[in-house]
């Protein structure tokens, strides 16, 4: 075997290494640190090249590319969304991501992002919760108890002072799974039989269901004043979770309006319906929650900058560790014009 | 270490394995086979989702994502273009690519594509040459003797009957490198000191230079009747190689007009200047070369379907071989909703 040069080797974080890294740092600690990175990147929003993600839709699901760049680093994520996968024993969402150096165009990190997406989604939700949820919030309703649910619960515990979670899923086995996983994690966990039961006494309602259709997880009469809704399941054209009457009663906050109007809950509203961008709240250019009877709604679809933040976090976190392996992914001949000579010498 | 499931493992073709595969199959044979795959995919053009590639431009170069799908497989390539890299000992172009299953959204192949892009670019050029070049062509001028040049020469030898190549580059060292690499490969190689000398007696002119600016590699008086021009270096907004007078005298053929009008030589022309799509020539819906005094111009920028064809070729070629390694890139818990449980069990 020929020996690739250093430049040809891209650090790769496998699923196994990502899980080792999470245990090394601590899950809640890592979510909190990723949130800090996201917040810092949201605060310099205008330094990023932004574009709605590029989707490939099919009757079976969607495959998306989510690129962004701050002029120094370039990052993108590959992610699929296939709600029907669960019934076939597969993940609804799998993902991987890449960072590259804008100056050379050379990749500098390749990593699994199925696990990392769960972490960054939870980090984003709880970060936004810090800005929008009632300060006195202690109880969260978690509606949809699939792969993301435990990460959401622990992120709100770590960052927003939640001590009780009330779980509901149309599939009682999912609720039982989530409840069992959260045992001993410092939360009071209440398994509920209806969505109405789940939202009793909750100051925060997180919806994370996965059907690729317009569903009505929450109806208008279920949502009382002062609640913060963290709606993360509606993230595709034709895939929403909330009745539009709730939207009309809420102050709506989004990541990137150009993408959210295509994919989020607000696809049900007029295209000029007012929304507030979270980066403006974080920089103090816009108001977050203004009174304690207001309903705040984070219409979250997931944006490329969150992945960029997570990728940069991982790149820093693995430096000097053995949580990665070098991948021979780039041809890098001694003479850059001599790709052919490199090939011939390998013969 | 936890043992990932089969579904979590993505076959990965490293640079080293790609080079071993090329030597196993034979370079000219492999280019010819990739061309066959490209031709077959161009002939079913309408079955593909097509979009211009998604570029991230910077003062240093460009990073692009090139996705496409035929409804069963999804493929994309990451590729950079940094002409200034060569002077810093780095490749102008590096690339990697991925195939995924549209039905599940799960990746099914990850591969280096720096080497593979050189092969598919040469395969595309020679395939188009088969349709457009004069049937009696035996001599090709190769202007620009960088990393792609030897692959181009050998592709036209294998597929279009070229027996003589005339090399020119502004850097005589590049010409010497190319000439040395082509020794003993079955071609008569003539190193030339000017572009004018290089095109003497050539029925095919290939231009493959890399400056990210509007350059004039060929001027109008250099191009006589009957010639086929294979222009592959102009592939970015503001990066062209030919004087527009040549364009106005030529029948222009392109891959995908929506992308070529942004990136190709024809960015210098009106946006409604007539061009012919190569897939239409291949399916017989449009004419290729119609007489032997016509100047034909393939304004090539590289299109996602060519990468898709190359990726599918590799996926088939490595089946049952050891030219790949399994990569633990996808988290795939036993219960797909139990990503958290998988993480906890790894602790």
């Amino acid at each position: 075997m020929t020996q690739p040069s250093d430049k040809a080797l891209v650090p790769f974080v496998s699923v196994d290494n990502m899980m080792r890294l999470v245990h090394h740092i601590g899950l809640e600690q890592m979510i909190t640190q990723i949130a800090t990175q996201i917040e810092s990147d949201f605060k310099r929003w205008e330094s990023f090249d932004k574009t709605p993600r590029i989707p490939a839709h099919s009757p079976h699901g969607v495959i998306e590319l989510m690129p962004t760049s701050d002029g120094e680093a370039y990052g993108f994520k590959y992610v699929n969304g296939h709600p029907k996968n669960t019934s076939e024993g597969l993940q609804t969402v799998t993902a991987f991501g890449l960072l590259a150096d804008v100056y050379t165009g050379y990749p500098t990190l390749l990593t699994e992002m199925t696990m990392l997406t769960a972490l960054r989604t939870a980090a984003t939700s709880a970060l936004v919760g810090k800005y929008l949820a009632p300060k006195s919030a202690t109880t969260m309703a978690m509606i949809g108890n699939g792969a993301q649910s435990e990460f959401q619960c622990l992120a709100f515990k770590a960052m927003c002072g939640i001590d009780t979670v009330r779980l509901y899923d149309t599939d009682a086995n999912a609720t039982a799974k989530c409840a069992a996983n959260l045992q001993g994690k410092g939360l009071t966990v209440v398994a509920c039989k209806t969505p109405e039961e789940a939202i009793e006494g909750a100051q925060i309602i997180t919806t994370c269901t996965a059907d690729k259709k317009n569903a009505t997880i929450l109806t208008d009469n279920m949502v009382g004043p002062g609640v913060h809704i963290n709606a993360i399941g509606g993230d595709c054209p034709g895939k929403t979770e909330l009745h539009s009457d709730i939207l009309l009663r809420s102050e709506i906050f989004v990541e990137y309006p150009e993408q959210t109007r295509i994919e989020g809950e607000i696809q049900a509203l007029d295209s000029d319906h007012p929304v507030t961008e979270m980066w403006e709240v974080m920089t103090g250019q816009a108001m977050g929650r203004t009174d304690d009877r207001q309903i705040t709604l984070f219409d979250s679809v997931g944006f490329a900058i969150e992945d960029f933040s997570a990728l940069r976090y991982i790149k820093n976190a693995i430096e000097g560790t053995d949580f990665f392996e070098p991948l021979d992914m780039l041809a890098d001949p001694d003479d850059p014009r001599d790709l052919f000579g490199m090939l011939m010498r390998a013969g």
Side-chain angles (χ1 to χ4, degrees), chain A residues 219-287:
Chain A
T219 54
D220 190 37
N221 60 359
M222 290 168 68
V223 179
V227 161
H228 173 62
I229 304 173
N230 173 44
I232 57 178
D235 59 2
C236 262
K239 181 178 170 219
T240 58
E241 297 179 313
L242 309 182
H243 193 285
S244 62
D245 286 347
I246 300 177
L247 307 182
L248 296 172
R249 285 169 59 210
S250 304
E251 281 298 310
I252 301 174
F253 298 83
V254 304
E255 291 139 318
Y256 180 56
E258 288 81 344
Q259 180 177 305
T260 311
R261 292 198 193 274
I262 300 169
E263 302 176 355
E265 298 298 326
I266 57 172
Q267 62 188 278
L269 303 182
D270 293 340
S271 64
D272 60 353
H273 189 92
V275 299
T276 305
E277 300 185 47
M278 276 313 302
W279 72 272
E280 294 183 302
V281 177
M282 292 181 194
T283 55
Q285 293 172 59
M287 303 290 283

Side-chain angles (χ1 to χ4, degrees), chain A residues 121-323:
Chain A
T121 301
T124 304
S125 289
L127 172 63
V128 170
K130 272 205 326 181
Y131 284 91
L132 299 184
K135 290 292 167 242
S136 59
T138 54
T139 298
M140 178 164 92
M142 181 72 230
I143 298 180
N145 301 151
Q148 305 276 321
S149 58
E150 298 93 342
F151 298 95
Q152 288 283 329
C153 292
L154 291 173
F156 277 90
K157 166 180 173 281
M159 295 173 56
C160 298
I162 289 299
D163 60 28
T164 302
V165 290
R166 301 177 65 84
L167 313 180
Y168 171 73
D169 196 292
T170 51
D171 179 353
N173 292 328
T175 302
K177 178 263 324 180
C178 181
N181 279 336
L182 290 175
Q183 287 309 311
K185 294 285 188 285
L187 282 166
T188 301
V189 179
V190 184
C192 303
K193 293 200 159 46
T194 65
E196 287 79 2
E197 184 188 347
I199 63 174
E200 267 172 38
Q203 298 86 17
I204 300 175
I205 302 174
T206 292
T207 57
C208 185
T209 61
D211 273 338
K212 195 180 177 183
K213 62 183 181 197
N214 293 314
T216 304
I217 312 300
L218 293 183
T219 54
D220 190 37
N221 60 359
M222 290 168 68
V223 179
V227 161
H228 173 62
I229 304 173
N230 173 44
I232 57 178
D235 59 2
C236 262
K239 181 178 170 219
T240 58
E241 297 179 313
L242 309 182
H243 193 285
S244 62
D245 286 347
I246 300 177
L247 307 182
L248 296 172
R249 285 169 59 210
S250 304
E251 281 298 310
I252 301 174
F253 298 83
V254 304
E255 291 139 318
Y256 180 56
E258 288 81 344
Q259 180 177 305
T260 311
R261 292 198 193 274
I262 300 169
E263 302 176 355
E265 298 298 326
I266 57 172
Q267 62 188 278
L269 303 182
D270 293 340
S271 64
D272 60 353
H273 189 92
V275 299
T276 305
E277 300 185 47
M278 276 313 302
W279 72 272
E280 294 183 302
V281 177
M282 292 181 194
T283 55
Q285 293 172 59
M287 303 290 283
R289 170 176 290 275
T290 49
D291 73 72
D292 56 10
R293 291 188 56 83
Q294 196 174 37
I295 299 172
T296 52
L297 167 63
F298 178 38
D299 185 4
S300 176
V301 295
F303 186 54
I305 292 177
E306 295 148 26
D307 300 309
F308 180 90
S309 307
L311 285 165
R312 287 216 310 164
Y313 173 84
I314 295 298
K315 182 161 187 290
N316 289 330
I318 63 173
E319 228 159 73
T321 74
D322 67 349
F323 295 120

Side-chain angles (χ1 to χ4, degrees), chain A residues 32-204:
Chain A
T32 306
Q33 290 172 358
I34 291 172
T36 301
Q37 182 77 53
I38 293 171
E39 187 174 25
S40 138
D41 286 337
F42 266 52
K43 283 183 172 172
R44 60 189 188 98
W45 190 259
E46 279 155 322
S47 63
F48 285 91
D49 279 338
K50 291 171 287 289
T51 178
R53 53 187 157 203
I54 301 101
H57 292 284
S58 77
H60 318 296
V62 63
I63 294 173
E64 300 173 319
L65 298 175
M66 303 172 67
T68 192
S69 166
D70 67 357
E72 292 191 3
Y74 170 94
F76 84 88
K77 180 167 81 170
Y78 168 103
V79 60
N80 75 301
H82 284 66
K84 64 91 190 153
N85 271 6
T86 309
S87 67
E88 298 169 10
L90 299 176
Q91 285 278 295
T92 298
V93 171
T94 63
F96 72 93
L98 182 109
L99 266 186
D101 178 9
V102 168
Y103 182 71
T104 62
Y106 274 45
T108 55
L109 173 71
L110 178 74
T111 177
E112 87 80 32
M113 283 191 86
T114 307
M115 202 64 80
L116 188 57
T117 294
L119 301 182
R120 79 84 160 124
T121 301
T124 304
S125 289
L127 172 63
V128 170
K130 272 205 326 181
Y131 284 91
L132 299 184
K135 290 292 167 242
S136 59
T138 54
T139 298
M140 178 164 92
M142 181 72 230
I143 298 180
N145 301 151
Q148 305 276 321
S149 58
E150 298 93 342
F151 298 95
Q152 288 283 329
C153 292
L154 291 173
F156 277 90
K157 166 180 173 281
M159 295 173 56
C160 298
I162 289 299
D163 60 28
T164 302
V165 290
R166 301 177 65 84
L167 313 180
Y168 171 73
D169 196 292
T170 51
D171 179 353
N173 292 328
T175 302
K177 178 263 324 180
C178 181
N181 279 336
L182 290 175
Q183 287 309 311
K185 294 285 188 285
L187 282 166
T188 301
V189 179
V190 184
C192 303
K193 293 200 159 46
T194 65
E196 287 79 2
E197 184 188 347
I199 63 174
E200 267 172 38
Q203 298 86 17
I204 300 175

